[in-house]
Each structure stands twice: as structure tokens, then as C-alpha cells.
Amino acid sequence: MALFIAGCSKKNDEKVDTEYPVIDLSANNAFPQQCSIIKRGETFIFRARLSDNVQLGSVSVDIHNNFDHHSHSTEVEECQMGAVKTPVNPYLLIRSFSVTEDLNEMEISQTISVPADVDAGDYHFLIRLTDKEGWQTIKGISVKIQ
């Protein structure tokens, strides 16, 4: 009986992680930012500071066209939008990046290539950060590919 009670009290003492992880794009070298321009046929470096109160889990990006002007931006600033258009060869990237185990903070720096033949125009750049407990933060920014 004493073992059972001791086991229960240890579980009750453990802190439960209920905080969302943080995606910070405020650093001077963070990229992309809201309304950034990305060039076709070139590479850019995705940079952000990622943190969690306990432990990071995974991070991924989703770049897709916004030719129909749908919205899931998390930013207050609105960007100048091009005309609504039908995609012919839109850029689409969904990629996960590794997070070193046992970190609660890291600077991500990943090279992303944009093919030269993709449609120019309005795109969304979504960052999904999940902590080890499963809490997820999404940062959605608008960018232009030219």
C-alpha cells in the first residue's frame, strides 16, 4: 500500500506542460518575414528562433500558392496582393526539419530552393512547431515569389 501511495504522489508532483511552443521571427536575420519577396530560380535560408518551456518536438514548413486570396495569415500587416488567378505551375513545398533531441530552444537555418519555372505571385509560408507534449503553434505569413 505504501508503494502505491508513493507512486501516486510522484505523478502528482510532475509538472504538466500546457504551454504552446514559440516561433520567433523578430531577429534581424529571420527570414522570411511578412511580405518578403523570394526569387524564382534561387535559394533562400529559412531562419527563425524556436523555443518551448520544456522540449521542442518537430518543425515543418508548408509553402503554397495564395492565388485565390484565401487567408490563414497570423500577421496583422497585410501585403499588397496580385490579381486572383488560376495556377498553372504553382510552387508547393511541404518539408519537415529535424530538431535535436532534448532542446527547448534552437535557431533553425535551412536552405530552400525555389525552381525557376514556378508561377510567380502570392504565396503562404506556414511554419508549424510542435513540442514534445504535442502542443502546436502555427505562424502563417504572406510572401511573394517573383
Side-chain angles (χ1 to χ4, degrees), residues 14-23 49-57 102-106 129-137:
E14 290 180 18
K15 185 179 176 191
V16 177
D17 179 7
T18 59
E19 291 184 36
Y20 290 96
V22 176
I23 301 165
R49 183 177 174 276
L50 311 174
S51 62
D52 185 62
N53 63 316
V54 178
Q55 186 177 348
L56 295 169
D102 300 326
L103 287 181
N104 67 342
E105 183 176 308
M106 72 178 276
L129 177 62
T130 307
D131 69 11
K132 275 294 192 195
E133 191 65 30
W135 296 103
Q136 185 178 77
T137 297

Side-chain angles (χ1 to χ4, degrees), residues 6-123:
C8 288
S9 65
K10 280 186 180 179
K11 283 207 177 251
N12 291 336
D13 291 343
E14 290 180 18
K15 185 179 176 191
V16 177
D17 179 7
T18 59
E19 291 184 36
Y20 290 96
V22 176
I23 301 165
D24 183 1
L25 295 175
S26 66
N28 288 339
N29 69 343
F31 189 85
Q33 300 282 340
Q34 178 74 347
C35 306
S36 287
I37 295 174
I38 298 169
K39 301 283 187 179
R40 292 184 291 176
E42 295 184 7
T43 61
F44 67 92
I45 299 175
F46 161 50
R47 288 189 180 105
R49 183 177 174 276
L50 311 174
S51 62
D52 185 62
N53 63 316
V54 178
Q55 186 177 348
L56 295 169
S58 63
V59 62
S60 66
V61 296
D62 171 342
I63 305 171
H64 62 270
N65 79 78
N66 186 21
F67 300 162
D68 62 357
H69 294 183
H70 67 276
S71 180
H72 32 208
S73 177
T74 59
E75 303 303 291
V76 175
E77 178 188 359
E78 291 194 25
C79 304
Q80 182 73 28
M81 302 283 283
V84 172
K85 66 181 187 177
T86 302
V88 176
N89 187 29
Y91 182 52
L92 176 63
L93 175 79
I94 299 172
R95 185 182 298 164
S96 295
F97 300 105
S98 61
V99 173
T100 306
E101 281 191 42
D102 300 326
L103 287 181
N104 67 342
E105 183 176 308
M106 72 178 276
E107 301 280 335
I108 190 162
S109 179
Q110 294 290 327
T111 301
I112 297 175
S113 297
V114 180
D117 64 344
V118 298
D119 295 341
D122 300 307
Y123 284 81

